[in-house]
Amino acid sequence: MNQTVFFHKKDKLGAILLQAGKLQAGLLDRALAHQETVSHRLGEILISLGYISEEDLAAALAEQLDLALYCQAAGEEVLTPPLSQPFLRDHPFLLIRREAEGNLLITSDPLDSAILAAAEVCFTAAYTVQLAAEAQLKKMVREHYNLAQQENDGATLLIDEADIDKLKDMASEAPVIKYVNNLIDTAVSRRASDIHMEPFADGLSIRFRIDGILHDFEMPPHAMQPAIISRTKLLAGLDIAERRLPQDGKIAMRVSGKEIDLRVSTLPTVFGEGVVIRILEKGSIILDLASLGMSREIETMFRKIIAVPDGFFLVTGPTGSGKTTTLYCALNHINTGDNKIITVEDPVEYQLHGINQIQVRSEIGLTFASGLRSIVRQDPDVIMIGEIRDLETAEIAVQSSLTGHLVFSTLHTNDAISAVIRMIDLGVERFLISSSLRGVLAQRLVRCICPHCKREKGMISEFGYRANGDDFAIYEGAGCNHCSGTGYSGRIGLYELLVINDTITRGISKGLDLIELRQIAEEEGFKPMFNDGMTKVRQGVTTFAEVVRVCRGTENGQF
């Protein structure tokens, strides 16, 4: 006689996991917040975020629904259901008969109505439901129901990407979940700043950006490509059905005991969607000026400039050169509690205590310029603008600095002196620049020599360079397990600081060009970034090749 199965939930799943010590309250709150953006059960979300294991979920469900956990026993008979293999792959379960206990239905999802309906058809007598972890169950189903050959067949796994429901199901399967979780975990453990997923004709290329350089990671099976991309988009709360337009999202995860924020960006390409994941480790950023690697001379001048009550200060450099981190350190240094600091950023990379931070949202009209107009009405003492992109933003920033505010921002130029010309090219009047600008810091990041395999390479003169006629030893990393064979570990900044004094102010007002301004600055003691790089080469911090690489294209980086 068939039966209808009803489950009485004793308690909420989250409460059971908390009580068992398998989950922290803060992580549960995050998972519940994430659940509001996706149509998944709490257990699935907790596993996908790496907060609990499949075994933890099975044990919690067993307690919640008052069910037993499956344990293999001798003499049990596995029954073969009269169902199609596609159904068993999509809704895995196991039918078992034991002499003492009768019929057993083994499942990892006792709330799957399709499985319960199938059991009603397969069993002619009463049965008992027992729980197993999903990976364990799928392994048994493959072995007993001969699904291994079909699942290993790549042609069978290739799915129609237009079938969104199928894509969601595949993205939620254990192999895909484990692959994406392992990918993120590996990237974090290798200190990667970004994960690049790039689809090509021969498959999905995976690369990690470590210390500013991209390194290849193993390519996943071609059949998993749509599921891996969809899995990442689901975690980020993005629309997996939309593959024609770029999308942006974020994920909060706990990886190896670390709180990690992931910024996800997708971009449609010829062979599918490309994905870049920016990794932001909350506990890793050190907001201390001394940690930036500035020379004592530059750090001393920098501290003096950011201590003034008003004016405009710029940090320049290419994307990924650490400009925002430098500004965060400056803000943290002057955040004494007796002043009001407001930032407008795109995106807000790190949340700073005691500082009001605004996220740009251009889709609703909240741009740098519009946000800046509102900021000045909030009575701030210090303002930070994520980036000067247009004349409107530049003019408001300059006007704000002239009305008693200290304004920080970034600009994309090759060196410090070029920032002045760039502001003029944007359309800012020279007299406004000369009246407001206090200084410009240009920077790059170079890789540091791995301390575990550091060795002497030779003398600097062997490479055709002498600093003021002086010769000195240079070093390199031989490559070891600590640095994954690269010879480098970590990065440090190279800097040049242009202090706007009276002489340079007059030069700007007179309309001097870039070459003339550089000549005046050097006469006033300005030292190019290349000099800072060679100092760090002499100190054995980085290599000569690294300094040449990052300074190429600047005025003093022709090597």
Side-chain angles (χ1 to χ4, degrees):
M1 181 178 177
N2 291 358
Q3 64 177 356
T4 301
V5 180
F6 295 99
F7 296 109
H8 175 67
K9 296 182 179 181
K10 295 165 56 177
D11 205 345
K12 290 188 176 181
L13 184 67
I16 294 173
L17 289 165
L18 290 175
Q19 188 175 6
K22 301 296 184 181
L23 183 65
Q24 299 177 10
L27 300 183
L28 175 59
D29 291 339
R30 286 187 180 180
L32 291 171
H34 185 65
Q35 189 179 27
E36 295 178 358
T37 65
V38 295
S39 56
H40 291 289
R41 296 177 189 168
L42 178 61
E44 296 173 343
I45 293 172
L46 290 171
I47 289 177
S48 69
L49 294 176
Y51 293 165
I52 64 172
S53 66
E54 292 181 0
E55 290 74 17
D56 293 336
L57 177 60
L61 281 173
E63 181 177 345
Q64 183 189 38
L65 304 176
D66 199 18
L67 298 174
L69 286 172
Y70 169 74
C71 184
Q72 191 171 8
E76 63 184 22
E77 177 188 1
V78 178
L79 306 177
T80 302
L83 301 169
S84 68
Q85 290 187 339
F87 180 88
L88 291 173
R89 279 196 294 269
D90 294 340
H91 306 277
F93 65 92
L94 209 64
L95 302 178
I96 289 177
R97 179 175 294 148
R98 289 178 180 170
E99 186 174 342
E101 300 174 70
N103 297 323
L104 298 178
L105 169 66
I106 313 302
T107 178
S108 61
D109 187 359
L111 302 179
D112 187 336
S113 59
I115 291 178
L116 297 179
E120 292 290 314
V121 174
C122 297
F123 283 126
T124 57
Y127 62 89
T128 303
V129 178
Q130 290 191 358
L131 284 175
E134 184 178 10
Q136 174 194 9
L137 175 68
K138 287 190 173 182
K139 182 176 182 294
M140 292 189 297
V141 169
R142 285 196 301 270
E143 291 174 352
H144 290 291
Y145 296 153
N146 193 30
L147 299 183
Q149 180 178 356
Q150 285 76 7
E151 287 210 288
N152 289 332
D153 180 5
T156 301
L157 279 176
L158 286 172
I159 63 172
D160 181 3
E161 288 192 58
D163 187 350
I164 302 305
D165 291 334
K166 183 72 174 181
L167 200 58
K168 286 182 179 179
D169 291 341
M170 191 173 178
S172 301
E173 289 182 355
V176 176
I177 292 174
K178 288 180 179 179
Y179 181 88
V180 174
N181 287 348
N182 177 67
L183 181 69
I184 295 172
D185 184 67
T186 303
V188 172
S189 65
R190 292 180 61 181
R191 302 178 297 101
S193 60
D194 302 87
I195 302 172
H196 291 247
M197 302 181 188
E198 301 162 307
F200 295 104
D202 58 345
L204 186 66
S205 170
I206 306 290
R207 297 194 289 175
F208 295 156
R209 187 176 294 280
I210 303 173
D211 295 333
I213 304 297
L214 286 171
H215 299 268
D216 289 330
F217 187 66
E218 62 186 39
M219 184 177 287
H222 188 77
M224 289 180 65
Q225 175 177 328
I228 291 171
I229 299 297
S230 296
R231 179 70 193 163
T232 306
K233 292 174 68 176
L234 284 173
L235 287 174
L238 303 180
D239 181 5
I240 67 171
E242 179 55 76
R243 296 186 293 274
R244 301 165 302 171
L245 298 173
Q247 296 186 69
D248 294 292
K250 58 183 179 179
I251 310 168
M253 296 184 72
R254 187 176 182 86
V255 180
S256 302
K258 302 174 183 177
E259 297 290 335
I260 304 293
D261 278 342
L262 305 175
R263 303 296 170 86
V264 179
S265 173
T266 70
L267 186 71
T269 71
V270 173
F271 295 106
E273 283 186 291
V275 176
V276 174
I277 304 175
R278 169 64 58 89
I279 302 173
L280 302 173
E281 187 178 332
K282 292 182 177 179
S284 66
I285 184 171
I286 302 174
L287 300 179
D288 183 7
L289 289 175
S291 69
L292 294 176
M294 293 180 181
S295 66
R296 182 176 299 179
E297 180 183 4
I298 290 180
E299 184 179 338
T300 300
M301 291 189 295
F302 184 69
R303 288 176 181 269
K304 288 181 180 179
I305 291 176
I306 65 176
V308 299
D310 55 28
F312 191 31
F313 184 84
L314 284 168
V315 179
T316 75
T319 301
S321 60
K323 301 186 297 297
T324 302
T325 300
T326 298
L327 287 180
Y328 279 171
C329 289
L331 294 179
N332 192 57
H333 178 71
I334 62 178
N335 183 23
T336 56
D338 57 356
N339 53 10
K340 182 167 183 175
I341 303 174
I342 305 180
T343 74
V344 52
E345 307 170 57
D346 184 22
V348 175
E349 293 192 6
Y350 295 98
Q351 296 179 4
L352 307 177
H353 178 71
I355 294 177
N356 301 276
Q357 296 173 270
I358 301 171
Q359 168 71 55
V360 166
R361 296 184 61 188
S362 55
E363 68 274 12
I364 60 172
L366 180 55
T367 62
F368 281 117
S370 62
L372 193 50
R373 288 195 200 92
S374 300
I375 283 177
V376 296
R377 292 194 290 269
Q378 291 289 311
D379 189 30
D381 298 290
V382 181
I383 299 170
M384 187 193 97
I385 309 160
E387 183 183 343
I388 299 292
R389 296 178 178 174
D390 51 48
L391 174 60
E392 185 180 13
T393 305
E395 285 183 331
I396 299 173
V398 168
Q399 292 292 347
S400 299
S401 69
L402 292 172
T403 54
H405 304 94
L406 179 59
V407 180
F408 296 97
S409 191
T410 69
L411 199 63
H412 287 281
T413 60
N414 283 335
D415 53 48
I417 300 171
S418 297
V420 177
I421 304 302
R422 174 63 176 151
M423 291 288 287
I424 295 170
D425 290 342
L426 282 174
V428 182
E429 296 290 344
R430 287 179 176 270
F431 75 91
L432 291 176
I433 298 174
S434 60
S435 301
S436 62
L437 194 60
R438 297 287 182 264
V440 182
L441 180 77
Q443 65 180 74
R444 299 286 194 283
L445 292 176
V446 292
R447 294 179 291 174
C448 298
I449 299 172
C450 174
H452 300 282
C453 59
K454 183 178 178 180
R455 66 184 181 187
E456 186 173 328
K457 185 176 183 180
M459 303 300 289
I460 188 65
S461 59
E462 298 174 24
F463 295 86
Y465 178 84
R466 282 180 180 268
N468 300 321
D470 189 15
D471 198 10
F472 53 87
I474 60 175
Y475 299 86
E476 67 177 0
C480 63
N481 292 333
H482 293 91
C483 61
S484 301
T486 63
Y488 297 98
S489 179
R491 290 191 290 178
I492 194 170
L494 301 186
Y495 302 93
E496 61 181 32
L497 178 60
L498 175 66
V499 179
I500 308 297
N501 57 22
D502 292 341
T503 304
I504 297 176
T505 296
R506 286 194 293 271
I508 296 172
S509 299
K510 289 179 181 178
L512 299 185
D513 61 20
L514 178 63
I515 296 175
E516 293 170 321
L517 286 175
R518 180 174 287 111
Q519 183 178 351
I520 292 176
E522 290 178 352
E523 291 172 356
E524 293 294 311
F526 171 77
K527 294 180 180 178
M529 187 187 306
F530 188 76
N531 289 35
D532 188 34
M534 292 311 300
T535 299
K536 290 180 170 66
V537 171
R538 180 193 291 267
Q539 295 169 345
V541 175
T542 189
T543 64
F544 181 64
E546 269 296 284
V547 173
V548 172
R549 179 180 68 85
V550 304
C551 289
R552 186 180 291 115
T554 63
E555 176 64 20
N556 290 273
Q558 302 94 336
F559 284 87

